[in-house]
Amino acid sequence: MIEEQYDILLELQKIDIDIDKEEKKKRNLPLIIEGVTKEIQRLKNSLKNKNEDYKNLQIRLKRIELNLTEKSNKIKKHQEDLYGGKISDIKELKQIQKVIANYQKEKDSIEEDVLDLMEEVEDLDKSISHLDRDLKVKEEEFKKRKEEMDLAKLAIEKNIDSLNIKRGEILIKITDDRLLKEYKLLRKEKGGKAIMEVDGSVCPGCYLDLPSDVIYQLKKNRKIVICPNCNRILIWKD
Ligand SMILES: [Zn+2]
């Protein structure tokens, strides 16, 4: 009678181990989307930074353009003085020419800056559209992976459900509550196997040699013993 209970317990353990495996698979499911989620976050951050850079560049460009207009206006005003005929003093006229030349030089240098900035804007534009495209590709991949993950999750849950039904059927057959409690405690403590089938001189739970009297007791009428090392329930395999 008691031996039969241990056989049922072995069956229960098989189911419990299968359930553990399925639960572990379920826990690991987010790994399917982890990589692509990180990649999307990285792309979004890059895009945010590049857009920020783009905005700042536009502000700088506007400021420089204002500066250019100011220089042009100054040149225009001095040219009016120069050619307006109101000033006849040669020295003063030469002074005005010098001032105009200086403004022109400044204007030229600013225009060079504008060209450089325009080039930067163009480069940024390109990398923003590349990032946009990469992001779309990754988001598409995420969608696929997520569907894959959801399907896998459904399959696992279905497996767990049917394993639990089998488990329930086995549980009904266990009449020894004390044994079941011991089994549950041991399984929690050992993180897997609480009851082990022995067919040699070694405990398959802790891999240590069993004392000869333990093996003798095990073999004799399939008597159940506890491993003196790891405390697992041992049963002789027929
Ligand atoms: Zn052991």
Side-chain angles (χ1 to χ4, degrees), residues 158-194:
K158 216 176 133 195
N159 278 346
I160 291 176
D161 282 349
S162 64
L163 283 167
N164 270 324
I165 290 170
K166 273 190 209 160
R167 190 177 190 274
E169 286 163 1
I170 294 168
L171 268 181
I172 295 169
K173 291 190 250 172
I174 297 177
T175 47
D176 191 337
D177 282 344
R178 198 191 49 82
L179 181 66
L180 186 63
K181 223 178 245 173
E182 199 186 329
Y183 161 82
K184 281 183 182 168
L185 270 174
L186 259 173
R187 240 179 71 77
K188 203 184 248 175
E189 191 189 315
K190 303 295 174 190
K193 291 184 174 175

PDB file of all heavy atoms in Angstrom, residues 158-194:
ATOM      1  N   LYS A 158      -1.634  26.499 -22.245  1.00  0.00           N
ATOM      2  CA  LYS A 158      -2.456  25.335 -22.551  1.00  0.00           C
ATOM      3  C   LYS A 158      -1.807  24.064 -21.973  1.00  0.00           C
ATOM      4  O   LYS A 158      -2.477  23.222 -21.371  1.00  0.00           O
ATOM      5  CB  LYS A 158      -2.602  25.204 -24.075  1.00  0.00           C
ATOM      6  CG  LYS A 158      -3.961  24.711 -24.520  1.00  0.00           C
ATOM      7  CD  LYS A 158      -4.048  24.718 -26.031  1.00  0.00           C
ATOM      8  CE  LYS A 158      -4.620  23.422 -26.545  1.00  0.00           C
ATOM      9  NZ  LYS A 158      -4.399  23.258 -28.000  1.00  0.00           N
ATOM     10  N   ASN A 159      -0.480  23.963 -22.174  1.00  0.00           N
ATOM     11  CA  ASN A 159       0.270  22.830 -21.614  1.00  0.00           C
ATOM     12  C   ASN A 159       0.125  22.762 -20.102  1.00  0.00           C
ATOM     13  O   ASN A 159      -0.105  21.697 -19.539  1.00  0.00           O
ATOM     14  CB  ASN A 159       1.760  22.959 -21.939  1.00  0.00           C
ATOM     15  CG  ASN A 159       2.077  22.464 -23.333  1.00  0.00           C
ATOM     16  OD1 ASN A 159       1.243  21.805 -23.943  1.00  0.00           O
ATOM     17  ND2 ASN A 159       3.263  22.760 -23.821  1.00  0.00           N
ATOM     18  N   ILE A 160       0.287  23.916 -19.466  1.00  0.00           N
ATOM     19  CA  ILE A 160       0.209  23.952 -18.007  1.00  0.00           C
ATOM     20  C   ILE A 160      -1.192  23.525 -17.547  1.00  0.00           C
ATOM     21  O   ILE A 160      -1.330  22.751 -16.588  1.00  0.00           O
ATOM     22  CB  ILE A 160       0.567  25.360 -17.467  1.00  0.00           C
ATOM     23  CG1 ILE A 160       2.067  25.637 -17.688  1.00  0.00           C
ATOM     24  CG2 ILE A 160       0.253  25.473 -15.973  1.00  0.00           C
ATOM     25  CD1 ILE A 160       2.530  27.020 -17.298  1.00  0.00           C
ATOM     26  N   ASP A 161      -2.204  24.000 -18.254  1.00  0.00           N
ATOM     27  CA  ASP A 161      -3.577  23.621 -17.902  1.00  0.00           C
ATOM     28  C   ASP A 161      -3.769  22.110 -17.951  1.00  0.00           C
ATOM     29  O   ASP A 161      -4.316  21.513 -17.022  1.00  0.00           O
ATOM     30  CB  ASP A 161      -4.581  24.293 -18.856  1.00  0.00           C
ATOM     31  CG  ASP A 161      -4.796  25.753 -18.491  1.00  0.00           C
ATOM     32  OD1 ASP A 161      -4.324  26.146 -17.399  1.00  0.00           O
ATOM     33  OD2 ASP A 161      -5.409  26.483 -19.293  1.00  0.00           O
ATOM     34  N   SER A 162      -3.280  21.485 -19.046  1.00  0.00           N
ATOM     35  CA  SER A 162      -3.517  20.040 -19.148  1.00  0.00           C
ATOM     36  C   SER A 162      -2.652  19.278 -18.143  1.00  0.00           C
ATOM     37  O   SER A 162      -3.068  18.248 -17.623  1.00  0.00           O
ATOM     38  CB  SER A 162      -3.319  19.537 -20.574  1.00  0.00           C
ATOM     39  OG  SER A 162      -1.994  19.689 -20.979  1.00  0.00           O
ATOM     40  N   LEU A 163      -1.448  19.816 -17.861  1.00  0.00           N
ATOM     41  CA  LEU A 163      -0.622  19.185 -16.832  1.00  0.00           C
ATOM     42  C   LEU A 163      -1.300  19.281 -15.465  1.00  0.00           C
ATOM     43  O   LEU A 163      -1.268  18.331 -14.671  1.00  0.00           O
ATOM     44  CB  LEU A 163       0.765  19.853 -16.772  1.00  0.00           C
ATOM     45  CG  LEU A 163       1.751  19.464 -17.881  1.00  0.00           C
ATOM     46  CD1 LEU A 163       2.944  20.407 -17.898  1.00  0.00           C
ATOM     47  CD2 LEU A 163       2.234  18.024 -17.691  1.00  0.00           C
ATOM     48  N   ASN A 164      -1.933  20.398 -15.216  1.00  0.00           N
ATOM     49  CA  ASN A 164      -2.616  20.582 -13.930  1.00  0.00           C
ATOM     50  C   ASN A 164      -3.810  19.646 -13.782  1.00  0.00           C
ATOM     51  O   ASN A 164      -4.109  19.191 -12.666  1.00  0.00           O
ATOM     52  CB  ASN A 164      -3.049  22.039 -13.770  1.00  0.00           C
ATOM     53  CG  ASN A 164      -1.959  22.857 -13.084  1.00  0.00           C
ATOM     54  OD1 ASN A 164      -1.263  22.364 -12.191  1.00  0.00           O
ATOM     55  ND2 ASN A 164      -1.794  24.087 -13.519  1.00  0.00           N
ATOM     56  N   ILE A 165      -4.469  19.366 -14.906  1.00  0.00           N
ATOM     57  CA  ILE A 165      -5.588  18.413 -14.863  1.00  0.00           C
ATOM     58  C   ILE A 165      -5.053  17.030 -14.487  1.00  0.00           C
ATOM     59  O   ILE A 165      -5.575  16.357 -13.588  1.00  0.00           O
ATOM     60  CB  ILE A 165      -6.337  18.379 -16.217  1.00  0.00           C
ATOM     61  CG1 ILE A 165      -7.100  19.707 -16.405  1.00  0.00           C
ATOM     62  CG2 ILE A 165      -7.303  17.190 -16.281  1.00  0.00           C
ATOM     63  CD1 ILE A 165      -7.683  19.908 -17.793  1.00  0.00           C
ATOM     64  N   LYS A 166      -3.942  16.642 -15.157  1.00  0.00           N
ATOM     65  CA  LYS A 166      -3.317  15.348 -14.829  1.00  0.00           C
ATOM     66  C   LYS A 166      -2.879  15.324 -13.373  1.00  0.00           C
ATOM     67  O   LYS A 166      -3.029  14.321 -12.674  1.00  0.00           O
ATOM     68  CB  LYS A 166      -2.076  15.145 -15.718  1.00  0.00           C
ATOM     69  CG  LYS A 166      -2.372  14.521 -17.050  1.00  0.00           C
ATOM     70  CD  LYS A 166      -1.058  14.140 -17.724  1.00  0.00           C
ATOM     71  CE  LYS A 166      -1.207  14.201 -19.243  1.00  0.00           C
ATOM     72  NZ  LYS A 166       0.087  14.301 -19.921  1.00  0.00           N
ATOM     73  N   ARG A 167      -2.346  16.435 -12.924  1.00  0.00           N
ATOM     74  CA  ARG A 167      -1.852  16.538 -11.551  1.00  0.00           C
ATOM     75  C   ARG A 167      -2.993  16.305 -10.555  1.00  0.00           C
ATOM     76  O   ARG A 167      -2.836  15.584  -9.554  1.00  0.00           O
ATOM     77  CB  ARG A 167      -1.228  17.916 -11.340  1.00  0.00           C
ATOM     78  CG  ARG A 167      -0.477  18.053 -10.043  1.00  0.00           C
ATOM     79  CD  ARG A 167       0.190  19.415  -9.925  1.00  0.00           C
ATOM     80  NE  ARG A 167       1.075  19.420  -8.786  1.00  0.00           N
ATOM     81  CZ  ARG A 167       0.671  19.708  -7.550  1.00  0.00           C
ATOM     82  NH1 ARG A 167      -0.584  20.046  -7.331  1.00  0.00           N
ATOM     83  NH2 ARG A 167       1.529  19.663  -6.532  1.00  0.00           N
ATOM     84  N   GLY A 168      -4.127  16.922 -10.889  1.00  0.00           N
ATOM     85  CA  GLY A 168      -5.292  16.766 -10.026  1.00  0.00           C
ATOM     86  C   GLY A 168      -5.723  15.315  -9.921  1.00  0.00           C
ATOM     87  O   GLY A 168      -6.059  14.825  -8.836  1.00  0.00           O
ATOM     88  N   GLU A 169      -5.678  14.630 -11.068  1.00  0.00           N
ATOM     89  CA  GLU A 169      -6.070  13.211 -11.098  1.00  0.00           C
ATOM     90  C   GLU A 169      -5.132  12.370 -10.230  1.00  0.00           C
ATOM     91  O   GLU A 169      -5.554  11.413  -9.573  1.00  0.00           O
ATOM     92  CB  GLU A 169      -6.057  12.684 -12.544  1.00  0.00           C
ATOM     93  CG  GLU A 169      -7.242  13.197 -13.355  1.00  0.00           C
ATOM     94  CD  GLU A 169      -7.037  13.040 -14.850  1.00  0.00           C
ATOM     95  OE1 GLU A 169      -5.974  12.511 -15.276  1.00  0.00           O
ATOM     96  OE2 GLU A 169      -7.930  13.484 -15.608  1.00  0.00           O
ATOM     97  N   ILE A 170      -3.850  12.703 -10.261  1.00  0.00           N
ATOM     98  CA  ILE A 170      -2.875  11.958  -9.457  1.00  0.00           C
ATOM     99  C   ILE A 170      -3.049  12.277  -7.976  1.00  0.00           C
ATOM    100  O   ILE A 170      -2.998  11.391  -7.120  1.00  0.00           O
ATOM    101  CB  ILE A 170      -1.427  12.286  -9.920  1.00  0.00           C
ATOM    102  CG1 ILE A 170      -1.216  11.769 -11.343  1.00  0.00           C
ATOM    103  CG2 ILE A 170      -0.398  11.667  -8.973  1.00  0.00           C
ATOM    104  CD1 ILE A 170       0.040  12.269 -11.988  1.00  0.00           C
ATOM    105  N   LEU A 171      -3.281  13.559  -7.687  1.00  0.00           N
ATOM    106  CA  LEU A 171      -3.404  13.997  -6.286  1.00  0.00           C
ATOM    107  C   LEU A 171      -4.507  13.249  -5.544  1.00  0.00           C
ATOM    108  O   LEU A 171      -4.344  12.904  -4.365  1.00  0.00           O
ATOM    109  CB  LEU A 171      -3.686  15.493  -6.232  1.00  0.00           C
ATOM    110  CG  LEU A 171      -2.468  16.424  -6.113  1.00  0.00           C
ATOM    111  CD1 LEU A 171      -2.910  17.872  -6.036  1.00  0.00           C
ATOM    112  CD2 LEU A 171      -1.616  16.067  -4.893  1.00  0.00           C
ATOM    113  N   ILE A 172      -5.602  13.009  -6.260  1.00  0.00           N
ATOM    114  CA  ILE A 172      -6.731  12.303  -5.636  1.00  0.00           C
ATOM    115  C   ILE A 172      -6.286  10.936  -5.108  1.00  0.00           C
ATOM    116  O   ILE A 172      -6.761  10.457  -4.081  1.00  0.00           O
ATOM    117  CB  ILE A 172      -7.891  12.126  -6.662  1.00  0.00           C
ATOM    118  CG1 ILE A 172      -8.437  13.497  -7.053  1.00  0.00           C
ATOM    119  CG2 ILE A 172      -9.002  11.250  -6.074  1.00  0.00           C
ATOM    120  CD1 ILE A 172      -9.398  13.435  -8.243  1.00  0.00           C
ATOM    121  N   LYS A 173      -5.307  10.341  -5.838  1.00  0.00           N
ATOM    122  CA  LYS A 173      -4.866   8.979  -5.480  1.00  0.00           C
ATOM    123  C   LYS A 173      -3.925   8.960  -4.269  1.00  0.00           C
ATOM    124  O   LYS A 173      -3.613   7.897  -3.744  1.00  0.00           O
ATOM    125  CB  LYS A 173      -4.181   8.320  -6.685  1.00  0.00           C
ATOM    126  CG  LYS A 173      -5.149   8.006  -7.810  1.00  0.00           C
ATOM    127  CD  LYS A 173      -4.465   7.140  -8.851  1.00  0.00           C
ATOM    128  CE  LYS A 173      -4.236   7.903 -10.127  1.00  0.00           C
ATOM    129  NZ  LYS A 173      -3.414   7.192 -11.098  1.00  0.00           N
ATOM    130  N   ILE A 174      -3.437  10.135  -3.893  1.00  0.00           N
ATOM    131  CA  ILE A 174      -2.537  10.171  -2.735  1.00  0.00           C
ATOM    132  C   ILE A 174      -3.366  10.320  -1.459  1.00  0.00           C
ATOM    133  O   ILE A 174      -4.033  11.331  -1.239  1.00  0.00           O
ATOM    134  CB  ILE A 174      -1.502  11.307  -2.859  1.00  0.00           C
ATOM    135  CG1 ILE A 174      -0.612  11.050  -4.077  1.00  0.00           C
ATOM    136  CG2 ILE A 174      -0.638  11.396  -1.591  1.00  0.00           C
ATOM    137  CD1 ILE A 174       0.401  12.120  -4.346  1.00  0.00           C
ATOM    138  N   THR A 175      -3.329   9.257  -0.667  1.00  0.00           N
ATOM    139  CA  THR A 175      -4.152   9.256   0.548  1.00  0.00           C
ATOM    140  C   THR A 175      -3.326   9.623   1.775  1.00  0.00           C
ATOM    141  O   THR A 175      -3.880   9.960   2.815  1.00  0.00           O
ATOM    142  CB  THR A 175      -4.778   7.861   0.753  1.00  0.00           C
ATOM    143  OG1 THR A 175      -3.756   6.886   0.582  1.00  0.00           O
ATOM    144  CG2 THR A 175      -5.892   7.614  -0.248  1.00  0.00           C
ATOM    145  N   ASP A 176      -2.007   9.564   1.617  1.00  0.00           N
ATOM    146  CA  ASP A 176      -1.124   9.861   2.751  1.00  0.00           C
ATOM    147  C   ASP A 176      -0.776  11.357   2.754  1.00  0.00           C
ATOM    148  O   ASP A 176       0.127  11.812   2.066  1.00  0.00           O
ATOM    149  CB  ASP A 176       0.153   9.005   2.610  1.00  0.00           C
ATOM    150  CG  ASP A 176       1.003   9.053   3.868  1.00  0.00           C
ATOM    151  OD1 ASP A 176       0.864  10.027   4.634  1.00  0.00           O
ATOM    152  OD2 ASP A 176       1.809   8.128   4.065  1.00  0.00           O
ATOM    153  N   ASP A 177      -1.535  12.119   3.538  1.00  0.00           N
ATOM    154  CA  ASP A 177      -1.342  13.570   3.585  1.00  0.00           C
ATOM    155  C   ASP A 177       0.044  13.962   4.101  1.00  0.00           C
ATOM    156  O   ASP A 177       0.650  14.929   3.635  1.00  0.00           O
ATOM    157  CB  ASP A 177      -2.411  14.229   4.482  1.00  0.00           C
ATOM    158  CG  ASP A 177      -3.742  14.345   3.749  1.00  0.00           C
ATOM    159  OD1 ASP A 177      -3.723  14.201   2.496  1.00  0.00           O
ATOM    160  OD2 ASP A 177      -4.775  14.564   4.416  1.00  0.00           O
ATOM    161  N   ARG A 178       0.509  13.183   5.083  1.00  0.00           N
ATOM    162  CA  ARG A 178       1.807  13.485   5.696  1.00  0.00           C
ATOM    163  C   ARG A 178       2.923  13.335   4.654  1.00  0.00           C
ATOM    164  O   ARG A 178       3.810  14.167   4.560  1.00  0.00           O
ATOM    165  CB  ARG A 178       2.041  12.533   6.882  1.00  0.00           C
ATOM    166  CG  ARG A 178       3.108  12.989   7.854  1.00  0.00           C
ATOM    167  CD  ARG A 178       3.455  11.878   8.827  1.00  0.00           C
ATOM    168  NE  ARG A 178       3.710  10.607   8.126  1.00  0.00           N
ATOM    169  CZ  ARG A 178       4.860  10.289   7.556  1.00  0.00           C
ATOM    170  NH1 ARG A 178       5.864  11.127   7.602  1.00  0.00           N
ATOM    171  NH2 ARG A 178       5.003   9.130   6.926  1.00  0.00           N
ATOM    172  N   LEU A 179       2.791  12.298   3.856  1.00  0.00           N
ATOM    173  CA  LEU A 179       3.774  12.025   2.801  1.00  0.00           C
ATOM    174  C   LEU A 179       3.757  13.145   1.752  1.00  0.00           C
ATOM    175  O   LEU A 179       4.799  13.624   1.315  1.00  0.00           O
ATOM    176  CB  LEU A 179       3.446  10.681   2.140  1.00  0.00           C
ATOM    177  CG  LEU A 179       4.398  10.227   1.028  1.00  0.00           C
ATOM    178  CD1 LEU A 179       5.778   9.935   1.578  1.00  0.00           C
ATOM    179  CD2 LEU A 179       3.840   8.989   0.315  1.00  0.00           C
ATOM    180  N   LEU A 180       2.557  13.584   1.404  1.00  0.00           N
ATOM    181  CA  LEU A 180       2.415  14.642   0.406  1.00  0.00           C
ATOM    182  C   LEU A 180       3.036  15.943   0.913  1.00  0.00           C
ATOM    183  O   LEU A 180       3.741  16.651   0.183  1.00  0.00           O
ATOM    184  CB  LEU A 180       0.931  14.853   0.086  1.00  0.00           C
ATOM    185  CG  LEU A 180       0.619  15.829  -1.048  1.00  0.00           C
ATOM    186  CD1 LEU A 180       1.181  15.326  -2.376  1.00  0.00           C
ATOM    187  CD2 LEU A 180      -0.886  16.055  -1.168  1.00  0.00           C
ATOM    188  N   LYS A 181       2.793  16.228   2.192  1.00  0.00           N
ATOM    189  CA  LYS A 181       3.351  17.433   2.800  1.00  0.00           C
ATOM    190  C   LYS A 181       4.876  17.366   2.769  1.00  0.00           C
ATOM    191  O   LYS A 181       5.553  18.346   2.421  1.00  0.00           O
ATOM    192  CB  LYS A 181       2.849  17.550   4.244  1.00  0.00           C
ATOM    193  CG  LYS A 181       2.424  18.981   4.601  1.00  0.00           C
ATOM    194  CD  LYS A 181       1.905  19.020   6.015  1.00  0.00           C
ATOM    195  CE  LYS A 181       0.422  19.386   6.059  1.00  0.00           C
ATOM    196  NZ  LYS A 181      -0.127  19.256   7.421  1.00  0.00           N
ATOM    197  N   GLU A 182       5.394  16.193   3.125  1.00  0.00           N
ATOM    198  CA  GLU A 182       6.844  15.999   3.160  1.00  0.00           C
ATOM    199  C   GLU A 182       7.430  16.184   1.752  1.00  0.00           C
ATOM    200  O   GLU A 182       8.463  16.821   1.574  1.00  0.00           O
ATOM    201  CB  GLU A 182       7.136  14.588   3.681  1.00  0.00           C
ATOM    202  CG  GLU A 182       8.562  14.411   4.185  1.00  0.00           C
ATOM    203  CD  GLU A 182       8.830  12.949   4.539  1.00  0.00           C
ATOM    204  OE1 GLU A 182       7.882  12.253   4.956  1.00  0.00           O
ATOM    205  OE2 GLU A 182       9.975  12.518   4.355  1.00  0.00           O
ATOM    206  N   TYR A 183       6.728  15.612   0.803  1.00  0.00           N
ATOM    207  CA  TYR A 183       7.160  15.719  -0.602  1.00  0.00           C
ATOM    208  C   TYR A 183       7.225  17.184  -1.036  1.00  0.00           C
ATOM    209  O   TYR A 183       8.198  17.640  -1.618  1.00  0.00           O
ATOM    210  CB  TYR A 183       6.193  14.926  -1.493  1.00  0.00           C
ATOM    211  CG  TYR A 183       6.231  15.309  -2.952  1.00  0.00           C
ATOM    212  CD1 TYR A 183       7.215  14.802  -3.813  1.00  0.00           C
ATOM    213  CD2 TYR A 183       5.294  16.200  -3.484  1.00  0.00           C
ATOM    214  CE1 TYR A 183       7.254  15.167  -5.154  1.00  0.00           C
ATOM    215  CE2 TYR A 183       5.315  16.560  -4.820  1.00  0.00           C
ATOM    216  CZ  TYR A 183       6.296  16.050  -5.649  1.00  0.00           C
ATOM    217  OH  TYR A 183       6.329  16.414  -6.967  1.00  0.00           O
ATOM    218  N   LYS A 184       6.161  17.936  -0.713  1.00  0.00           N
ATOM    219  CA  LYS A 184       6.090  19.345  -1.116  1.00  0.00           C
ATOM    220  C   LYS A 184       7.220  20.164  -0.476  1.00  0.00           C
ATOM    221  O   LYS A 184       7.883  20.987  -1.147  1.00  0.00           O
ATOM    222  CB  LYS A 184       4.734  19.950  -0.736  1.00  0.00           C
ATOM    223  CG  LYS A 184       3.627  19.573  -1.701  1.00  0.00           C
ATOM    224  CD  LYS A 184       2.330  20.250  -1.309  1.00  0.00           C
ATOM    225  CE  LYS A 184       1.198  19.836  -2.234  1.00  0.00           C
ATOM    226  NZ  LYS A 184      -0.113  20.270  -1.689  1.00  0.00           N
ATOM    227  N   LEU A 185       7.446  19.905   0.804  1.00  0.00           N
ATOM    228  CA  LEU A 185       8.501  20.610   1.526  1.00  0.00           C
ATOM    229  C   LEU A 185       9.874  20.320   0.915  1.00  0.00           C
ATOM    230  O   LEU A 185      10.679  21.221   0.673  1.00  0.00           O
ATOM    231  CB  LEU A 185       8.505  20.194   3.003  1.00  0.00           C
ATOM    232  CG  LEU A 185       7.617  21.029   3.933  1.00  0.00           C
ATOM    233  CD1 LEU A 185       7.602  20.411   5.316  1.00  0.00           C
ATOM    234  CD2 LEU A 185       8.117  22.475   4.009  1.00  0.00           C
ATOM    235  N   LEU A 186      10.095  19.001   0.664  1.00  0.00           N
ATOM    236  CA  LEU A 186      11.377  18.564   0.121  1.00  0.00           C
ATOM    237  C   LEU A 186      11.629  19.153  -1.269  1.00  0.00           C
ATOM    238  O   LEU A 186      12.732  19.577  -1.595  1.00  0.00           O
ATOM    239  CB  LEU A 186      11.419  17.033   0.025  1.00  0.00           C
ATOM    240  CG  LEU A 186      12.180  16.304   1.123  1.00  0.00           C
ATOM    241  CD1 LEU A 186      11.984  14.805   0.974  1.00  0.00           C
ATOM    242  CD2 LEU A 186      13.657  16.651   1.119  1.00  0.00           C
ATOM    243  N   ARG A 187      10.569  19.188  -2.053  1.00  0.00           N
ATOM    244  CA  ARG A 187      10.700  19.721  -3.412  1.00  0.00           C
ATOM    245  C   ARG A 187      11.060  21.209  -3.391  1.00  0.00           C
ATOM    246  O   ARG A 187      11.866  21.679  -4.178  1.00  0.00           O
ATOM    247  CB  ARG A 187       9.402  19.500  -4.197  1.00  0.00           C
ATOM    248  CG  ARG A 187       9.617  18.637  -5.442  1.00  0.00           C
ATOM    249  CD  ARG A 187       8.340  18.416  -6.187  1.00  0.00           C
ATOM    250  NE  ARG A 187       7.891  19.637  -6.849  1.00  0.00           N
ATOM    251  CZ  ARG A 187       8.427  20.110  -7.972  1.00  0.00           C
ATOM    252  NH1 ARG A 187       9.409  19.473  -8.550  1.00  0.00           N
ATOM    253  NH2 ARG A 187       7.980  21.220  -8.513  1.00  0.00           N
ATOM    254  N   LYS A 188      10.428  21.908  -2.456  1.00  0.00           N
ATOM    255  CA  LYS A 188      10.710  23.338  -2.321  1.00  0.00           C
ATOM    256  C   LYS A 188      12.173  23.523  -1.898  1.00  0.00           C
ATOM    257  O   LYS A 188      12.900  24.342  -2.452  1.00  0.00           O
ATOM    258  CB  LYS A 188       9.763  23.930  -1.274  1.00  0.00           C
ATOM    259  CG  LYS A 188       9.575  25.441  -1.453  1.00  0.00           C
ATOM    260  CD  LYS A 188       8.711  25.991  -0.347  1.00  0.00           C
ATOM    261  CE  LYS A 188       7.354  26.466  -0.842  1.00  0.00           C
ATOM    262  NZ  LYS A 188       6.496  26.879   0.291  1.00  0.00           N
ATOM    263  N   GLU A 189      12.570  22.687  -0.935  1.00  0.00           N
ATOM    264  CA  GLU A 189      13.918  22.787  -0.385  1.00  0.00           C
ATOM    265  C   GLU A 189      14.977  22.409  -1.426  1.00  0.00           C
ATOM    266  O   GLU A 189      16.008  23.060  -1.546  1.00  0.00           O
ATOM    267  CB  GLU A 189      14.007  21.847   0.828  1.00  0.00           C
ATOM    268  CG  GLU A 189      15.243  22.024   1.680  1.00  0.00           C
ATOM    269  CD  GLU A 189      15.334  20.894   2.706  1.00  0.00           C
ATOM    270  OE1 GLU A 189      14.294  20.570   3.330  1.00  0.00           O
ATOM    271  OE2 GLU A 189      16.429  20.315   2.842  1.00  0.00           O
ATOM    272  N   LYS A 190      14.688  21.366  -2.209  1.00  0.00           N
ATOM    273  CA  LYS A 190      15.683  20.864  -3.161  1.00  0.00           C
ATOM    274  C   LYS A 190      15.548  21.523  -4.538  1.00  0.00           C
ATOM    275  O   LYS A 190      16.369  21.294  -5.415  1.00  0.00           O
ATOM    276  CB  LYS A 190      15.546  19.335  -3.333  1.00  0.00           C
ATOM    277  CG  LYS A 190      15.673  18.551  -2.037  1.00  0.00           C
ATOM    278  CD  LYS A 190      17.069  18.693  -1.469  1.00  0.00           C
ATOM    279  CE  LYS A 190      17.155  18.036  -0.098  1.00  0.00           C
ATOM    280  NZ  LYS A 190      18.420  18.366   0.580  1.00  0.00           N
ATOM    281  N   GLY A 191      14.493  22.281  -4.716  1.00  0.00           N
ATOM    282  CA  GLY A 191      14.280  22.949  -6.001  1.00  0.00           C
ATOM    283  C   GLY A 191      14.134  21.985  -7.158  1.00  0.00           C
ATOM    284  O   GLY A 191      14.759  22.146  -8.189  1.00  0.00           O
ATOM    285  N   GLY A 192      13.356  20.944  -6.992  1.00  0.00           N
ATOM    286  CA  GLY A 192      13.118  20.018  -8.102  1.00  0.00           C
ATOM    287  C   GLY A 192      12.711  18.646  -7.623  1.00  0.00           C
ATOM    288  O   GLY A 192      11.533  18.390  -7.389  1.00  0.00           O
ATOM    289  N   LYS A 193      13.721  17.775  -7.456  1.00  0.00           N
ATOM    290  CA  LYS A 193      13.376  16.389  -7.144  1.00  0.00           C
ATOM    291  C   LYS A 193      13.424  16.093  -5.649  1.00  0.00           C
ATOM    292  O   LYS A 193      14.422  16.335  -4.986  1.00  0.00           O
ATOM    293  CB  LYS A 193      14.308  15.444  -7.909  1.00  0.00           C
ATOM    294  CG  LYS A 193      14.033  15.486  -9.404  1.00  0.00           C
ATOM    295  CD  LYS A 193      14.884  14.502 -10.150  1.00  0.00           C
ATOM    296  CE  LYS A 193      14.456  14.488 -11.631  1.00  0.00           C
ATOM    297  NZ  LYS A 193      15.320  13.626 -12.427  1.00  0.00           N
ATOM    298  N   ALA A 194      12.324  15.525  -5.155  1.00  0.00           N
ATOM    299  CA  ALA A 194      12.228  15.177  -3.744  1.00  0.00           C
ATOM    300  C   ALA A 194      12.334  13.672  -3.557  1.00  0.00           C
ATOM    301  O   ALA A 194      12.831  13.183  -2.555  1.00  0.00           O
ATOM    302  CB  ALA A 194      10.903  15.669  -3.176  1.00  0.00           C
TER     303      ALA A 194
END
